Amino acid sequence: MNIFRLTGDLSHLAAIIILLLKIWKSRSCAGISGKSQILFAIVFTTRYLDLLTSFISLYNTSMKVIYIGCSYATVYLIYMKFRATYDGNHDSFRVEFLVVPVGGLAVLINHDFSLLEILWTFSIYLESVAILPQLFMISKTGEAETITTHYLFCLGLYRALYLFNWIWRFYFEGFFDMIAIVAGVVQTILYCDFFYLYVTKVLKGKKLSLPA
């Protein structure tokens, strides 16, 4: 494992922990898109079905279980425990416009036409756009809490680090996965505008505001 993958995984884990702590400590899921969290739960579920068929390492298995468990815990907090604080009116992105095209693309473009491979490919494609409901919600409300922006920054950093991971693996291992790389580039691009606002505003103590 190279340093980019390790730090990417840690950044991803930090994002999940930041979000869970934010909801639990504030006893509120205000400003959090439940739809994005459902999409992430679907992403991890369809990607890590290999837990049932193979074992790579304790680290690999542990991270997969943590991602799946935390994603469903987040969905539970939003839609069950703190449902009264969930802002469904602003979380109005039509996720079917993401899931249906992504599903079709996974069937058409994959490495191997088998159920597990199609589901893995589906998860890669879906993850690249799963954050859109959250970004749409922030755009609609016009602002975001600082802790929410920290979550988004760590999530975007994870994807950016994974791009360097793919570059490292290509040069030192000869490994190249076009599907994962293209999806990662798309996802990183979606965060670019947010990264700029994060650095110029949030890190300087200003509240992040976006045009509605």
Side-chain angles (χ1 to χ4, degrees):
M1 179 185 298
N2 61 70
I3 187 64
F4 297 113
R5 179 175 178 181
L6 178 60
T7 53
D9 286 345
L10 293 178
S11 179
H12 194 184
L13 185 59
I16 294 172
I17 293 174
I18 286 172
L19 183 63
L20 282 171
L21 288 177
K22 183 268 181 190
I23 296 174
W24 187 257
K25 285 188 174 182
S26 66
R27 318 297 287 181
S28 170
C29 55
I32 303 299
S33 169
K35 291 185 177 181
S36 269
Q37 298 309 312
I38 288 177
L39 292 180
F40 282 123
I42 294 173
V43 165
F44 297 136
T45 301
T46 53
R47 181 175 303 171
Y48 299 140
L49 289 174
D50 62 345
L51 284 171
L52 304 175
T53 61
S54 61
F55 177 81
I56 299 175
S57 68
L58 180 60
Y59 171 83
N60 183 275
T61 298
S62 298
M63 293 300 284
K64 289 177 179 179
V65 171
I66 289 172
Y67 289 153
I68 294 173
C70 287
S71 66
Y72 281 98
T74 304
V75 171
Y76 167 76
L77 293 179
I78 293 173
Y79 287 99
M80 299 294 290
K81 191 169 183 63
F82 303 123
R83 184 176 181 178
T85 65
Y86 170 58
D87 186 4
N89 291 327
H90 285 123
D91 192 16
S92 57
F93 192 94
R94 300 285 296 276
V95 295
E96 60 268 29
F97 292 154
L98 300 178
V99 175
V100 174
V102 161
L105 187 62
V107 172
L108 294 174
I109 304 176
N110 51 68
H111 294 308
D112 179 56
F113 197 76
S114 64
L115 180 60
L116 286 181
E117 186 64 30
I118 290 174
L119 289 175
W120 178 85
T121 306
F122 170 78
S123 76
I124 295 296
Y125 292 152
L126 184 60
E127 186 183 20
S128 69
V129 294
I131 199 62
L132 283 177
Q134 180 66 67
L135 297 177
F136 179 78
M137 187 176 185
I138 293 176
S139 177
K140 195 170 182 180
T141 59
E143 60 183 26
E145 294 181 19
T146 300
I147 195 69
T148 304
T149 62
H150 293 333
Y151 157 72
L152 290 172
F153 178 79
C154 286
L155 204 58
L157 182 61
Y158 139 69
R159 287 315 317 178
L161 287 168
Y162 253 66
L163 289 182
F164 288 105
N165 165 61
W166 296 125
I167 294 173
W168 175 282
R169 295 191 66 183
F170 175 73
Y171 279 102
F172 293 98
E173 300 176 15
F175 181 84
F176 184 77
D177 189 326
M178 180 61 74
I179 289 177
I181 292 174
V182 172
V185 169
V186 170
Q187 188 172 1
T188 304
I189 289 174
L190 292 178
Y191 285 96
C192 284
D193 186 50
F194 172 81
F195 282 154
Y196 172 77
L197 292 173
Y198 184 88
V199 172
T200 58
K201 291 190 176 183
V202 178
L203 294 184
K204 293 182 179 179
K206 299 178 183 180
K207 192 169 184 178
L208 178 64
S209 297
L210 298 175

